[in-house]
Amino acid sequence: MITESLKASELHKIDPVFGQLSFDNHEQIVFCNDKDTGLKAIIGIHNTVLGPALGGTRMWKYTNEWEALNDVLRLSRGMTYKSAISGLNLGGGKAVIIGDSKVDKTPEMIAKFGQYVNSLSGKYITAEDVGTTTADMDLIRKYTEHVTGISESIGGSGNPSPVTAYGVYMGMKAAAKYKFGSDNLDGKRVLVQGIGHVGETLVDYLTAEGAKVVISDINEDRLKEIGNKYGAKIFTGDDLYSADVDIYAPCALGATLNDETIGKLKAQVIAGAANNQLANEIKHGQMLKDKGILYAPDFLINAGGIINVYAEIVKYDKAEAMRKTENIYNTTLEIFDYADANNITTHEAAFKIAQNRIDLRKKELAK
């Protein structure tokens, strides 16, 4: 074994966790490593003031461990505000497993991860995310009760993706109402970037309403499949972000709204399922506002999934989950009104409302 000794001054410069730009006073970061199964995972627990930290487990082939850490920090923070803005008694957490889910994932790896989740004694509750499935959650359930999104056949709420898509659809309709004067999407040109489970269901909703849907994805076979199934047009231009559309729906990974892309956008509304769409929340939220582009905050309109799995904790049925998800429409309009009244960005408006709820609960707990 080879180790490298570092001076205290050098260690101070490294600051691998607390010095990360994405670190936002997270309560706990757990690094999980198991040589036998190849598991390398990070669990981020951002805030548990409102309740246990619930958030999905993402498996992704990250370029390096820094990228994985940054992702789990950003995602877990987003879950805190997603639950708060949705009125759920949950905190924010997230987990990432480093690896290609199509190649590296094994039942043994997922089982070991479930054991790590169980070791946190309910402070973190996991669920499905990119690269993991309902079947994975069923396997994790054998090792811990602190998991949601398990199969309906064993008492769970099933795949949360359709409910997530419905919430995004509701948020998009609210944004259309605010920007165009009507929530009718018939004839509206909508670009859906990323057509996984959520993206496909969103395409289904939009097509059924008569929207002119354009799709984009890194998987060419998936593009052809979804294009043929729904009659959606496949984007073939040189620059996705300068596409001549009314609405841009990012439904893949985050940070697609940044210095480079915002200046190119022709869309007047942004409403999608991806987490952390703004590379820099303050700067890029303001850039969108200055350009007159209406942004539906991602952590609000993509909350349908967590509303769905929360049903397993508080024991309400699918109909109630859909009703709560449909209310995203009203909440989105309220946030747009609040942003305009206070001359702030829509992201800042949503963040303030969510943070106020957390602060009030924190004061109650301190009494």
Short mmCIF file of all heavy atoms in Angstrom, two decimals, residues 22-29 44-56 71-95 123-125 275-276 281 298-300 302-303 306-307 347 350-359 361-362:
data_model
loop_
_atom_site.label_atom_id
_atom_site.label_comp_id
_atom_site.label_asym_id
_atom_site.label_seq_id
_atom_site.Cartn_x
_atom_site.Cartn_y
_atom_site.Cartn_z
N SER A 22 -20.66 23.66 -4.17
CA SER A 22 -22.02 23.14 -4.04
C SER A 22 -22.38 22.78 -2.60
O SER A 22 -23.53 22.46 -2.32
CB SER A 22 -22.21 21.91 -4.93
OG SER A 22 -22.01 22.25 -6.27
N PHE A 23 -21.40 22.83 -1.70
CA PHE A 23 -21.69 22.53 -0.30
C PHE A 23 -22.47 23.69 0.30
O PHE A 23 -22.07 24.83 0.23
CB PHE A 23 -20.40 22.30 0.49
CG PHE A 23 -20.64 21.88 1.91
CD1 PHE A 23 -20.94 20.55 2.21
CD2 PHE A 23 -20.60 22.80 2.94
CE1 PHE A 23 -21.19 20.16 3.52
CE2 PHE A 23 -20.85 22.42 4.25
CZ PHE A 23 -21.14 21.10 4.54
N ASP A 24 -23.63 23.36 0.88
CA ASP A 24 -24.53 24.39 1.38
C ASP A 24 -24.96 24.03 2.80
O ASP A 24 -26.13 23.83 3.07
CB ASP A 24 -25.75 24.52 0.45
CG ASP A 24 -26.73 25.59 0.90
OD1 ASP A 24 -26.28 26.71 1.18
OD2 ASP A 24 -27.93 25.29 0.97
N ASN A 25 -23.97 23.93 3.69
CA ASN A 25 -24.25 23.55 5.07
C ASN A 25 -25.01 22.24 5.16
O ASN A 25 -25.94 22.08 5.95
CB ASN A 25 -25.02 24.67 5.79
CG ASN A 25 -24.20 25.93 5.94
OD1 ASN A 25 -23.04 25.87 6.33
ND2 ASN A 25 -24.78 27.07 5.60
N HIS A 26 -24.61 21.29 4.35
CA HIS A 26 -25.19 19.96 4.41
C HIS A 26 -24.97 19.36 5.80
O HIS A 26 -23.93 19.58 6.42
CB HIS A 26 -24.55 19.04 3.37
CG HIS A 26 -25.01 19.28 1.98
ND1 HIS A 26 -24.73 20.44 1.28
CD2 HIS A 26 -25.76 18.52 1.14
CE1 HIS A 26 -25.26 20.37 0.07
NE2 HIS A 26 -25.90 19.21 -0.04
N GLU A 27 -25.94 18.61 6.27
CA GLU A 27 -25.82 18.02 7.60
C GLU A 27 -24.85 16.84 7.64
O GLU A 27 -24.14 16.64 8.61
CB GLU A 27 -27.21 17.53 8.07
CG GLU A 27 -28.20 18.65 8.31
CD GLU A 27 -29.55 18.12 8.74
OE1 GLU A 27 -29.66 16.90 9.03
OE2 GLU A 27 -30.50 18.91 8.80
N GLN A 28 -24.84 16.06 6.56
CA GLN A 28 -24.04 14.83 6.58
C GLN A 28 -23.75 14.36 5.16
O GLN A 28 -24.62 14.40 4.29
CB GLN A 28 -24.81 13.74 7.34
CG GLN A 28 -24.01 12.49 7.66
CD GLN A 28 -24.80 11.55 8.56
OE1 GLN A 28 -25.93 11.84 8.95
NE2 GLN A 28 -24.21 10.41 8.90
N ILE A 29 -22.52 13.95 4.92
CA ILE A 29 -22.12 13.33 3.66
C ILE A 29 -21.55 11.96 3.99
O ILE A 29 -20.62 11.85 4.80
CB ILE A 29 -21.05 14.16 2.90
CG1 ILE A 29 -21.47 15.63 2.80
CG2 ILE A 29 -20.80 13.55 1.53
CD1 ILE A 29 -22.70 15.88 2.00
N GLY A 44 -25.82 12.15 0.21
CA GLY A 44 -25.82 13.53 0.71
C GLY A 44 -27.10 13.82 1.46
O GLY A 44 -28.20 13.65 0.92
N ILE A 45 -26.97 14.22 2.71
CA ILE A 45 -28.12 14.61 3.52
C ILE A 45 -28.00 16.11 3.76
O ILE A 45 -27.14 16.56 4.50
CB ILE A 45 -28.16 13.84 4.85
CG1 ILE A 45 -28.29 12.34 4.57
CG2 ILE A 45 -29.30 14.33 5.73
CD1 ILE A 45 -28.16 11.47 5.81
N HIS A 46 -28.86 16.87 3.08
CA HIS A 46 -28.74 18.32 3.14
C HIS A 46 -29.42 18.92 4.36
O HIS A 46 -28.83 19.70 5.10
CB HIS A 46 -29.32 18.96 1.87
CG HIS A 46 -29.31 20.45 1.89
ND1 HIS A 46 -30.45 21.21 2.05
CD2 HIS A 46 -28.28 21.34 1.80
CE1 HIS A 46 -30.12 22.49 2.04
NE2 HIS A 46 -28.83 22.61 1.88
N ASN A 47 -30.68 18.54 4.59
CA ASN A 47 -31.44 19.17 5.66
C ASN A 47 -32.57 18.25 6.11
O ASN A 47 -33.26 17.66 5.29
CB ASN A 47 -32.04 20.50 5.14
CG ASN A 47 -32.68 21.32 6.24
OD1 ASN A 47 -33.73 20.98 6.74
ND2 ASN A 47 -32.04 22.43 6.58
N THR A 48 -32.74 18.11 7.44
CA THR A 48 -33.79 17.24 7.97
C THR A 48 -34.72 18.00 8.92
O THR A 48 -35.36 17.39 9.78
CB THR A 48 -33.19 16.02 8.69
OG1 THR A 48 -32.33 16.47 9.75
CG2 THR A 48 -32.41 15.14 7.73
N VAL A 49 -34.81 19.31 8.78
CA VAL A 49 -35.66 20.11 9.67
C VAL A 49 -37.14 19.71 9.52
O VAL A 49 -37.87 19.59 10.50
CB VAL A 49 -35.48 21.61 9.39
CG1 VAL A 49 -36.54 22.44 10.13
CG2 VAL A 49 -34.08 22.06 9.81
N LEU A 50 -37.59 19.51 8.29
CA LEU A 50 -39.00 19.20 8.05
C LEU A 50 -39.30 17.71 8.17
O LEU A 50 -40.47 17.32 8.24
CB LEU A 50 -39.43 19.69 6.67
CG LEU A 50 -39.42 21.21 6.46
CD1 LEU A 50 -39.76 21.54 5.01
CD2 LEU A 50 -40.42 21.88 7.39
N GLY A 51 -38.26 16.88 8.16
CA GLY A 51 -38.47 15.45 8.24
C GLY A 51 -37.26 14.70 7.71
O GLY A 51 -36.23 15.31 7.38
N PRO A 52 -37.34 13.37 7.60
CA PRO A 52 -36.22 12.59 7.07
C PRO A 52 -35.89 13.00 5.65
O PRO A 52 -36.76 13.42 4.89
CB PRO A 52 -36.72 11.15 7.15
CG PRO A 52 -38.20 11.26 7.16
CD PRO A 52 -38.51 12.52 7.91
N ALA A 53 -34.63 12.88 5.29
CA ALA A 53 -34.18 13.29 3.96
C ALA A 53 -34.54 12.21 2.94
O ALA A 53 -34.04 11.09 3.00
CB ALA A 53 -32.67 13.52 3.97
N LEU A 54 -35.43 12.54 2.03
CA LEU A 54 -35.83 11.59 1.00
C LEU A 54 -35.34 12.06 -0.36
O LEU A 54 -35.50 13.22 -0.72
CB LEU A 54 -37.36 11.43 0.98
CG LEU A 54 -37.91 10.26 0.14
CD1 LEU A 54 -39.27 9.80 0.69
CD2 LEU A 54 -38.07 10.62 -1.33
N GLY A 55 -34.76 11.15 -1.10
CA GLY A 55 -34.29 11.47 -2.45
C GLY A 55 -33.76 10.23 -3.13
O GLY A 55 -33.26 9.32 -2.48
N GLY A 56 -33.86 10.19 -4.43
CA GLY A 56 -33.50 9.01 -5.19
C GLY A 56 -32.02 8.73 -5.25
O GLY A 56 -31.18 9.55 -4.88
N ASP A 71 -22.43 16.58 -7.87
CA ASP A 71 -23.79 16.23 -8.26
C ASP A 71 -24.65 15.89 -7.05
O ASP A 71 -25.78 16.37 -6.92
CB ASP A 71 -23.76 15.04 -9.23
CG ASP A 71 -25.01 14.95 -10.08
OD1 ASP A 71 -25.65 15.99 -10.33
OD2 ASP A 71 -25.35 13.84 -10.52
N VAL A 72 -24.12 15.08 -6.14
CA VAL A 72 -24.92 14.68 -4.98
C VAL A 72 -25.19 15.87 -4.06
O VAL A 72 -26.26 15.97 -3.44
CB VAL A 72 -24.27 13.51 -4.22
CG1 VAL A 72 -23.13 13.96 -3.32
CG2 VAL A 72 -25.32 12.75 -3.41
N LEU A 73 -24.25 16.80 -3.97
CA LEU A 73 -24.46 18.00 -3.16
C LEU A 73 -25.57 18.86 -3.75
O LEU A 73 -26.46 19.34 -3.04
CB LEU A 73 -23.17 18.80 -3.04
CG LEU A 73 -22.05 18.18 -2.19
CD1 LEU A 73 -20.77 18.99 -2.33
CD2 LEU A 73 -22.46 18.09 -0.73
N ARG A 74 -25.51 19.09 -5.04
CA ARG A 74 -26.53 19.91 -5.71
C ARG A 74 -27.90 19.23 -5.66
O ARG A 74 -28.92 19.88 -5.40
CB ARG A 74 -26.13 20.17 -7.16
CG ARG A 74 -25.05 21.24 -7.31
CD ARG A 74 -24.54 21.32 -8.75
NE ARG A 74 -25.59 21.64 -9.71
CZ ARG A 74 -26.00 22.87 -10.02
NH1 ARG A 74 -25.48 23.92 -9.41
NH2 ARG A 74 -26.93 23.06 -10.94
N LEU A 75 -27.92 17.94 -5.91
CA LEU A 75 -29.20 17.22 -5.95
C LEU A 75 -29.85 17.14 -4.58
O LEU A 75 -31.07 17.30 -4.45
CB LEU A 75 -28.98 15.81 -6.51
CG LEU A 75 -28.64 15.72 -8.00
CD1 LEU A 75 -28.17 14.31 -8.36
CD2 LEU A 75 -29.83 16.10 -8.86
N SER A 76 -29.07 16.87 -3.55
CA SER A 76 -29.64 16.74 -2.21
C SER A 76 -30.18 18.09 -1.72
O SER A 76 -31.24 18.16 -1.08
CB SER A 76 -28.61 16.19 -1.22
OG SER A 76 -27.44 16.98 -1.19
N ARG A 77 -29.47 19.16 -2.05
CA ARG A 77 -29.96 20.50 -1.71
C ARG A 77 -31.28 20.77 -2.41
O ARG A 77 -32.23 21.29 -1.81
CB ARG A 77 -28.92 21.55 -2.11
CG ARG A 77 -29.35 22.99 -1.86
CD ARG A 77 -28.24 23.93 -2.30
NE ARG A 77 -28.59 25.33 -2.06
CZ ARG A 77 -29.24 26.10 -2.93
NH1 ARG A 77 -29.62 25.59 -4.11
NH2 ARG A 77 -29.51 27.36 -2.65
N GLY A 78 -31.35 20.41 -3.68
CA GLY A 78 -32.58 20.62 -4.43
C GLY A 78 -33.76 19.87 -3.85
O GLY A 78 -34.89 20.36 -3.86
N MET A 79 -33.50 18.69 -3.31
CA MET A 79 -34.58 17.90 -2.71
C MET A 79 -35.15 18.58 -1.47
O MET A 79 -36.36 18.47 -1.20
CB MET A 79 -34.08 16.50 -2.37
CG MET A 79 -33.74 15.63 -3.57
SD MET A 79 -35.08 15.45 -4.76
CE MET A 79 -36.30 14.61 -3.77
N THR A 80 -34.31 19.27 -0.72
CA THR A 80 -34.80 20.00 0.45
C THR A 80 -35.88 21.00 0.04
O THR A 80 -36.96 21.07 0.63
CB THR A 80 -33.65 20.75 1.14
OG1 THR A 80 -32.74 19.80 1.71
CG2 THR A 80 -34.15 21.68 2.23
N TYR A 81 -35.59 21.78 -0.99
CA TYR A 81 -36.52 22.82 -1.41
C TYR A 81 -37.69 22.25 -2.21
O TYR A 81 -38.79 22.82 -2.20
CB TYR A 81 -35.75 23.90 -2.18
CG TYR A 81 -34.72 24.53 -1.28
CD1 TYR A 81 -33.36 24.27 -1.43
CD2 TYR A 81 -35.12 25.33 -0.22
CE1 TYR A 81 -32.42 24.81 -0.56
CE2 TYR A 81 -34.19 25.88 0.66
CZ TYR A 81 -32.85 25.61 0.48
OH TYR A 81 -31.93 26.14 1.36
N LYS A 82 -37.48 21.13 -2.87
CA LYS A 82 -38.57 20.47 -3.57
C LYS A 82 -39.65 20.02 -2.59
O LYS A 82 -40.84 20.24 -2.80
CB LYS A 82 -38.04 19.28 -4.36
CG LYS A 82 -39.08 18.58 -5.22
CD LYS A 82 -38.49 17.39 -5.95
CE LYS A 82 -37.40 17.78 -6.91
NZ LYS A 82 -36.97 16.66 -7.78
N SER A 83 -39.23 19.38 -1.50
CA SER A 83 -40.18 18.93 -0.48
C SER A 83 -40.83 20.11 0.22
O SER A 83 -42.04 20.11 0.49
CB SER A 83 -39.48 18.03 0.54
OG SER A 83 -39.10 16.81 -0.05
N ALA A 84 -40.03 21.13 0.53
CA ALA A 84 -40.56 22.29 1.26
C ALA A 84 -41.60 23.04 0.44
O ALA A 84 -42.66 23.40 0.95
CB ALA A 84 -39.42 23.23 1.64
N ILE A 85 -41.32 23.28 -0.84
CA ILE A 85 -42.24 24.05 -1.67
C ILE A 85 -43.52 23.26 -1.95
O ILE A 85 -44.58 23.81 -2.22
CB ILE A 85 -41.57 24.47 -3.00
CG1 ILE A 85 -42.35 25.60 -3.68
CG2 ILE A 85 -41.43 23.29 -3.95
CD1 ILE A 85 -42.26 26.92 -2.99
N SER A 86 -43.42 21.92 -1.84
CA SER A 86 -44.57 21.06 -2.11
C SER A 86 -45.40 20.79 -0.86
O SER A 86 -46.41 20.08 -0.93
CB SER A 86 -44.10 19.72 -2.70
OG SER A 86 -43.35 19.93 -3.88
N GLY A 87 -44.97 21.33 0.29
CA GLY A 87 -45.72 21.15 1.52
C GLY A 87 -45.56 19.80 2.16
O GLY A 87 -46.39 19.38 2.98
N LEU A 88 -44.49 19.07 1.83
CA LEU A 88 -44.27 17.74 2.38
C LEU A 88 -43.41 17.82 3.64
O LEU A 88 -42.52 18.67 3.73
CB LEU A 88 -43.57 16.84 1.35
CG LEU A 88 -44.23 16.75 -0.03
CD1 LEU A 88 -43.43 15.82 -0.93
CD2 LEU A 88 -45.67 16.28 0.07
N ASN A 89 -43.66 16.94 4.56
CA ASN A 89 -42.86 16.89 5.80
C ASN A 89 -41.65 16.00 5.59
O ASN A 89 -41.50 14.94 6.22
CB ASN A 89 -43.72 16.41 6.96
CG ASN A 89 -44.84 17.38 7.30
OD1 ASN A 89 -44.65 18.59 7.23
ND2 ASN A 89 -46.00 16.86 7.63
N LEU A 90 -40.79 16.46 4.71
CA LEU A 90 -39.58 15.72 4.35
C LEU A 90 -38.41 16.69 4.24
O LEU A 90 -38.59 17.86 3.89
CB LEU A 90 -39.75 15.00 3.00
CG LEU A 90 -40.73 13.84 2.93
CD1 LEU A 90 -40.91 13.41 1.48
CD2 LEU A 90 -40.25 12.66 3.77
N GLY A 91 -37.23 16.15 4.49
CA GLY A 91 -36.00 16.90 4.26
C GLY A 91 -35.43 16.53 2.90
O GLY A 91 -36.07 15.84 2.11
N GLY A 92 -34.21 16.98 2.65
CA GLY A 92 -33.60 16.76 1.35
C GLY A 92 -32.38 15.87 1.41
O GLY A 92 -31.45 16.11 2.17
N GLY A 93 -32.37 14.84 0.60
CA GLY A 93 -31.22 13.96 0.49
C GLY A 93 -31.14 13.38 -0.90
O GLY A 93 -32.09 13.48 -1.70
N LYS A 94 -30.02 12.80 -1.22
CA LYS A 94 -29.83 12.17 -2.53
C LYS A 94 -28.63 11.23 -2.42
O LYS A 94 -27.77 11.39 -1.54
CB LYS A 94 -29.55 13.23 -3.59
CG LYS A 94 -29.91 12.81 -5.01
CD LYS A 94 -31.39 12.92 -5.27
CE LYS A 94 -31.71 12.65 -6.74
NZ LYS A 94 -33.13 12.84 -7.04
N ALA A 95 -28.57 10.28 -3.31
CA ALA A 95 -27.41 9.39 -3.35
C ALA A 95 -26.97 9.21 -4.80
O ALA A 95 -27.80 9.25 -5.71
CB ALA A 95 -27.75 8.04 -2.72
N LYS A 123 -32.60 8.30 8.70
CA LYS A 123 -32.32 9.71 8.45
C LYS A 123 -32.37 10.00 6.95
O LYS A 123 -32.70 11.11 6.52
CB LYS A 123 -30.94 10.09 9.01
CG LYS A 123 -30.66 11.59 8.98
CD LYS A 123 -29.39 11.95 9.71
CE LYS A 123 -29.18 13.46 9.74
NZ LYS A 123 -27.93 13.83 10.45
N TYR A 124 -32.04 8.97 6.14
CA TYR A 124 -32.12 9.08 4.69
C TYR A 124 -33.02 7.96 4.16
O TYR A 124 -32.87 6.80 4.55
CB TYR A 124 -30.74 8.98 4.04
CG TYR A 124 -30.79 8.80 2.54
CD1 TYR A 124 -31.27 9.81 1.71
CD2 TYR A 124 -30.37 7.60 1.95
CE1 TYR A 124 -31.33 9.64 0.34
CE2 TYR A 124 -30.43 7.43 0.56
CZ TYR A 124 -30.91 8.45 -0.23
OH TYR A 124 -30.99 8.29 -1.59
N ILE A 125 -33.96 8.32 3.31
CA ILE A 125 -34.85 7.37 2.65
C ILE A 125 -34.57 7.44 1.16
O ILE A 125 -34.61 8.53 0.56
CB ILE A 125 -36.33 7.71 2.92
CG1 ILE A 125 -36.61 7.74 4.42
CG2 ILE A 125 -37.25 6.71 2.22
CD1 ILE A 125 -37.98 8.28 4.78
N ASN A 275 -33.27 18.20 -12.93
CA ASN A 275 -32.90 18.89 -11.70
C ASN A 275 -31.77 19.88 -11.97
O ASN A 275 -30.95 19.66 -12.86
CB ASN A 275 -32.43 17.88 -10.65
CG ASN A 275 -33.56 17.04 -10.11
OD1 ASN A 275 -34.56 17.55 -9.62
ND2 ASN A 275 -33.42 15.72 -10.21
N ASN A 276 -31.74 20.97 -11.20
CA ASN A 276 -30.63 21.93 -11.26
C ASN A 276 -30.36 22.43 -12.68
O ASN A 276 -29.23 22.39 -13.17
CB ASN A 276 -29.36 21.31 -10.68
CG ASN A 276 -29.54 20.88 -9.24
OD1 ASN A 276 -30.10 21.61 -8.43
ND2 ASN A 276 -29.07 19.68 -8.91
N GLU A 281 -27.65 29.51 -10.03
CA GLU A 281 -29.05 29.87 -9.77
C GLU A 281 -29.30 31.38 -9.83
O GLU A 281 -30.30 31.82 -10.40
CB GLU A 281 -29.46 29.32 -8.40
CG GLU A 281 -29.46 27.80 -8.35
CD GLU A 281 -29.62 27.28 -6.93
OE1 GLU A 281 -29.55 28.09 -5.99
OE2 GLU A 281 -29.79 26.06 -6.77
N ASP A 298 -37.46 24.32 -11.54
CA ASP A 298 -37.44 22.86 -11.69
C ASP A 298 -37.84 22.12 -10.43
O ASP A 298 -38.59 21.14 -10.47
CB ASP A 298 -36.06 22.39 -12.18
CG ASP A 298 -34.90 22.93 -11.36
OD1 ASP A 298 -35.05 23.13 -10.15
OD2 ASP A 298 -33.82 23.16 -11.95
N PHE A 299 -37.36 22.59 -9.26
CA PHE A 299 -37.64 21.85 -8.04
C PHE A 299 -39.11 21.94 -7.61
O PHE A 299 -39.55 21.21 -6.73
CB PHE A 299 -36.70 22.26 -6.90
CG PHE A 299 -36.85 23.68 -6.41
CD1 PHE A 299 -37.77 24.00 -5.44
CD2 PHE A 299 -36.01 24.67 -6.90
CE1 PHE A 299 -37.88 25.31 -4.97
CE2 PHE A 299 -36.11 25.98 -6.44
CZ PHE A 299 -37.05 26.30 -5.47
N LEU A 300 -39.85 22.82 -8.26
CA LEU A 300 -41.29 22.88 -8.03
C LEU A 300 -42.03 21.94 -8.99
O LEU A 300 -42.77 21.05 -8.57
CB LEU A 300 -41.81 24.30 -8.22
CG LEU A 300 -43.33 24.43 -8.37
CD1 LEU A 300 -44.03 23.98 -7.09
CD2 LEU A 300 -43.71 25.85 -8.73
N ASN A 302 -41.07 19.55 -10.98
CA ASN A 302 -40.72 18.12 -11.09
C ASN A 302 -40.93 17.37 -9.77
O ASN A 302 -40.40 16.29 -9.56
CB ASN A 302 -39.29 17.94 -11.61
CG ASN A 302 -38.22 18.37 -10.62
OD1 ASN A 302 -38.49 18.65 -9.44
ND2 ASN A 302 -36.98 18.44 -11.09
N ALA A 303 -41.76 17.96 -8.88
CA ALA A 303 -41.97 17.37 -7.56
C ALA A 303 -42.99 16.23 -7.54
O ALA A 303 -43.22 15.62 -6.50
CB ALA A 303 -42.41 18.45 -6.57
N ILE A 306 -41.69 12.87 -6.01
CA ILE A 306 -41.55 12.77 -4.56
C ILE A 306 -42.92 12.80 -3.88
O ILE A 306 -43.13 12.16 -2.84
CB ILE A 306 -40.63 13.87 -4.00
CG1 ILE A 306 -40.21 13.52 -2.56
CG2 ILE A 306 -41.26 15.24 -4.07
CD1 ILE A 306 -39.13 14.39 -2.02
N ILE A 307 -43.88 13.50 -4.48
CA ILE A 307 -45.24 13.47 -3.96
C ILE A 307 -45.78 12.05 -4.04
O ILE A 307 -46.45 11.55 -3.13
CB ILE A 307 -46.14 14.44 -4.75
CG1 ILE A 307 -45.74 15.89 -4.46
CG2 ILE A 307 -47.62 14.22 -4.43
CD1 ILE A 307 -46.41 16.91 -5.35
N HIS A 347 -37.00 31.70 -9.79
CA HIS A 347 -36.26 30.76 -8.93
C HIS A 347 -36.13 31.33 -7.53
O HIS A 347 -36.34 30.61 -6.53
CB HIS A 347 -34.87 30.49 -9.51
CG HIS A 347 -34.06 29.58 -8.65
ND1 HIS A 347 -33.32 30.03 -7.57
CD2 HIS A 347 -33.89 28.24 -8.66
CE1 HIS A 347 -32.73 29.01 -6.97
NE2 HIS A 347 -33.07 27.91 -7.61
N ALA A 350 -39.47 31.04 -5.64
CA ALA A 350 -39.74 29.69 -5.15
C ALA A 350 -38.83 29.34 -3.98
O ALA A 350 -39.26 28.74 -2.99
CB ALA A 350 -39.56 28.68 -6.29
N PHE A 351 -37.58 29.75 -4.09
CA PHE A 351 -36.62 29.46 -3.03
C PHE A 351 -37.02 30.16 -1.72
O PHE A 351 -36.96 29.56 -0.64
CB PHE A 351 -35.23 29.93 -3.46
CG PHE A 351 -34.17 29.74 -2.42
CD1 PHE A 351 -33.55 28.51 -2.25
CD2 PHE A 351 -33.80 30.78 -1.58
CE1 PHE A 351 -32.58 28.33 -1.28
CE2 PHE A 351 -32.83 30.61 -0.61
CZ PHE A 351 -32.21 29.38 -0.46
N LYS A 352 -37.44 31.42 -1.82
CA LYS A 352 -37.82 32.16 -0.62
C LYS A 352 -39.01 31.51 0.08
O LYS A 352 -39.04 31.39 1.32
CB LYS A 352 -38.17 33.62 -0.99
CG LYS A 352 -36.97 34.52 -1.22
CD LYS A 352 -37.42 35.93 -1.56
CE LYS A 352 -36.24 36.88 -1.72
NZ LYS A 352 -35.55 37.12 -0.44
N ILE A 353 -40.00 31.11 -0.69
CA ILE A 353 -41.18 30.49 -0.09
C ILE A 353 -40.81 29.18 0.59
O ILE A 353 -41.26 28.88 1.71
CB ILE A 353 -42.26 30.26 -1.17
CG1 ILE A 353 -42.79 31.62 -1.66
CG2 ILE A 353 -43.39 29.40 -0.63
CD1 ILE A 353 -43.68 31.53 -2.88
N ALA A 354 -39.96 28.38 -0.07
CA ALA A 354 -39.53 27.11 0.52
C ALA A 354 -38.69 27.34 1.77
O ALA A 354 -38.87 26.67 2.79
CB ALA A 354 -38.75 26.31 -0.52
N GLN A 355 -37.76 28.30 1.71
CA GLN A 355 -36.88 28.56 2.84
C GLN A 355 -37.67 29.10 4.03
O GLN A 355 -37.36 28.76 5.19
CB GLN A 355 -35.80 29.56 2.44
CG GLN A 355 -34.72 29.78 3.50
CD GLN A 355 -33.92 28.54 3.79
OE1 GLN A 355 -33.33 27.94 2.90
NE2 GLN A 355 -33.89 28.12 5.06
N ASN A 356 -38.68 29.91 3.78
CA ASN A 356 -39.51 30.43 4.87
C ASN A 356 -40.18 29.29 5.63
O ASN A 356 -40.29 29.34 6.86
CB ASN A 356 -40.57 31.39 4.31
CG ASN A 356 -39.99 32.73 3.92
OD1 ASN A 356 -38.90 33.09 4.35
ND2 ASN A 356 -40.72 33.48 3.11
N ARG A 357 -40.63 28.29 4.91
CA ARG A 357 -41.28 27.15 5.58
C ARG A 357 -40.28 26.40 6.46
O ARG A 357 -40.60 26.00 7.58
CB ARG A 357 -41.88 26.21 4.53
CG ARG A 357 -42.61 25.03 5.15
CD ARG A 357 -43.46 24.27 4.17
NE ARG A 357 -44.08 23.16 4.88
CZ ARG A 357 -43.78 21.88 4.70
NH1 ARG A 357 -42.89 21.52 3.78
NH2 ARG A 357 -44.36 20.94 5.42
N ILE A 358 -39.07 26.24 5.96
CA ILE A 358 -38.03 25.56 6.75
C ILE A 358 -37.67 26.38 7.98
O ILE A 358 -37.55 25.84 9.09
CB ILE A 358 -36.78 25.32 5.87
CG1 ILE A 358 -37.12 24.35 4.73
CG2 ILE A 358 -35.62 24.79 6.71
CD1 ILE A 358 -36.04 24.27 3.67
N ASP A 359 -37.52 27.69 7.80
CA ASP A 359 -37.15 28.57 8.92
C ASP A 359 -38.22 28.57 10.02
O ASP A 359 -37.90 28.57 11.21
CB ASP A 359 -36.91 29.99 8.42
CG ASP A 359 -35.67 30.09 7.53
OD1 ASP A 359 -34.83 29.17 7.58
OD2 ASP A 359 -35.54 31.09 6.80
N ARG A 361 -40.32 26.17 10.72
CA ARG A 361 -40.27 24.89 11.42
C ARG A 361 -39.07 24.82 12.35
O ARG A 361 -39.15 24.28 13.47
CB ARG A 361 -40.20 23.75 10.39
CG ARG A 361 -40.14 22.35 11.01
CD ARG A 361 -41.31 22.09 11.93
NE ARG A 361 -41.24 20.76 12.50
CZ ARG A 361 -41.88 20.39 13.59
NH1 ARG A 361 -42.65 21.26 14.24
NH2 ARG A 361 -41.79 19.16 14.04
N LYS A 362 -37.96 25.40 11.93
CA LYS A 362 -36.76 25.40 12.75
C LYS A 362 -37.01 26.18 14.05
O LYS A 362 -36.55 25.79 15.14
CB LYS A 362 -35.60 26.01 11.97
CG LYS A 362 -34.23 25.77 12.59
CD LYS A 362 -33.14 26.21 11.62
CE LYS A 362 -31.76 25.89 12.19
NZ LYS A 362 -30.68 26.28 11.26
#
